[in-house]
């Protein structure tokens, strides 16, 4: 028996701007999530996967209010963690010490459990789907996993998730089609956000 395969379209977003203690969204974060929901209204999305932390869950709910009947699906692999800890030799020599020190400052659970969760995320959210119909899914996650998924789609070295910074409520779309390499259709698009909401939490030198 031959199993047919169809394309998966994975819509990826980072949660809206969070409060300083990360327990909730700011007013700006709620606006960002609502505006992304408006942008996605009418898209053929069949599920909204989201990480378990409040900032991701709240973002998913606000988007979901604009996408009637699309289920919210909590997912541990969609959470916030370090997807890969590079050895020193994979990093630029002039910044390796700084990078490794920064990564060492993250909670032990995020460092130890992260690589396994990252592989689970690839298995769960990427690749083609069984059947004849393309599938469109939204993943509401965090900066690190967004970078990890883009890195994987481009078949870049594992350490290259570092430096891929996703804006709050920006939109990335990756297509996984049968017999073809993954295609990055859209990356870090903030066209649905007004200028004052596009680069929240980013230093001024990175505002583009």
């Amino acid at each position: 028996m031959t199993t047919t395969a169809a394309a998966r379209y994975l819509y990826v977003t980072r949660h809206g701007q969070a409060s300083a203690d990360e327990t909730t969204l700011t007013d700006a974060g709620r606006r960002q999530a609502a505006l992304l929901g408006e942008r996605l209204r009418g898209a053929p999305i069949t599920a909204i996967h989201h990480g378990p932390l409040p900032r991701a869950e709240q973002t998913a709910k606000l988007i979901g209010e604009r996408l009637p009947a699309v289920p919210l699906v909590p997912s541990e692999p969609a959470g916030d963690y370090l997807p890969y800890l590079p050895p020193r030799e994979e990093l630029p020599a002039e910044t390796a010490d700084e990078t490794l020190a920064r990564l060492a400052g993250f909670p032990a659970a995020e460092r130890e459990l992260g690589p396994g969760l990252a592989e689970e995320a690839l298995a769960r959210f990427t690749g083609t789907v069984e059947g004849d119909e393309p599938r469109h899914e939204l993943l509401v996650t965090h900066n690190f996993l967004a970078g990890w998924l883009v890195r994987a789609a481009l078949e870049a070295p594992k350490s290259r998730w570092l430096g891929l910074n996703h804006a709050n409520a920006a939109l990335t779309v990756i297509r996984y089609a049968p017999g073809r390499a993954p295609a990055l259709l859209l990356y870090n698009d903030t066209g649905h956000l007004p200028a004052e909401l596009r680069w929240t939490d980013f230093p001024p030198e990175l505002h583009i």
Side-chain angles (χ1 to χ4, degrees):
M1 180 178 178
T2 301
T3 301
T4 59
R8 182 202 307 261
Y9 291 81
L10 184 66
Y11 300 64
V12 181
T13 191
R14 182 187 179 192
H15 58 81
Q17 185 189 44
S19 60
D21 63 4
E22 298 186 334
T23 60
T24 189
L25 296 181
T26 63
D27 288 343
R30 286 187 284 273
R31 288 180 60 203
Q32 290 167 331
L35 288 166
L36 178 56
E38 290 295 334
R39 175 172 181 173
L40 295 174
R41 190 192 294 271
I45 292 171
T46 57
I48 301 173
H49 304 276
H50 65 83
L53 296 177
R55 56 192 186 275
E57 181 179 15
Q58 291 172 18
T59 299
K61 286 181 177 178
L62 287 165
I63 294 171
E65 290 174 2
R66 278 82 185 167
L67 304 178
V70 178
L72 302 179
V73 185
S75 171
E76 193 72 23
D80 194 15
Y81 50 81
L82 299 178
Y84 177 74
L85 295 172
R88 181 181 297 275
E89 59 268 21
E90 292 184 7
L91 300 171
E94 60 273 20
T95 58
D97 287 342
E98 177 185 352
T99 299
L100 291 173
R102 178 166 58 87
L103 296 178
F106 283 85
E110 291 185 25
R111 290 184 281 111
E112 295 168 5
L113 300 178
L117 288 169
E119 291 305 314
E120 189 175 342
L122 289 177
R124 183 174 299 187
F125 302 124
T126 73
T128 58
V129 297
E130 291 186 4
D132 300 318
E133 295 295 325
R135 182 187 303 172
H136 295 250
E137 300 170 296
L138 173 63
L139 176 62
V140 180
T141 185
H142 301 263
N143 188 43
F144 291 168
L145 183 58
W148 176 252
L149 292 171
V150 169
R151 176 221 62 85
L154 297 177
E155 299 181 347
K158 289 185 175 181
S159 61
R160 286 299 292 122
W161 71 269
L162 291 161
L164 294 174
N165 295 313
H166 212 272
N168 293 122
L171 184 61
T172 289
V173 182
I174 305 170
R175 181 185 64 201
Y176 306 91
R180 304 174 68 175
L184 188 61
L185 304 182
L186 195 66
Y187 176 68
N188 212 17
D189 191 322
T190 57
H192 49 286
L193 302 177
E196 69 271 16
L197 295 180
R198 290 180 182 175
W199 295 107
T200 50
D201 298 335
F202 276 66
E205 64 269 20
L206 294 183
H207 293 200
I208 304 299

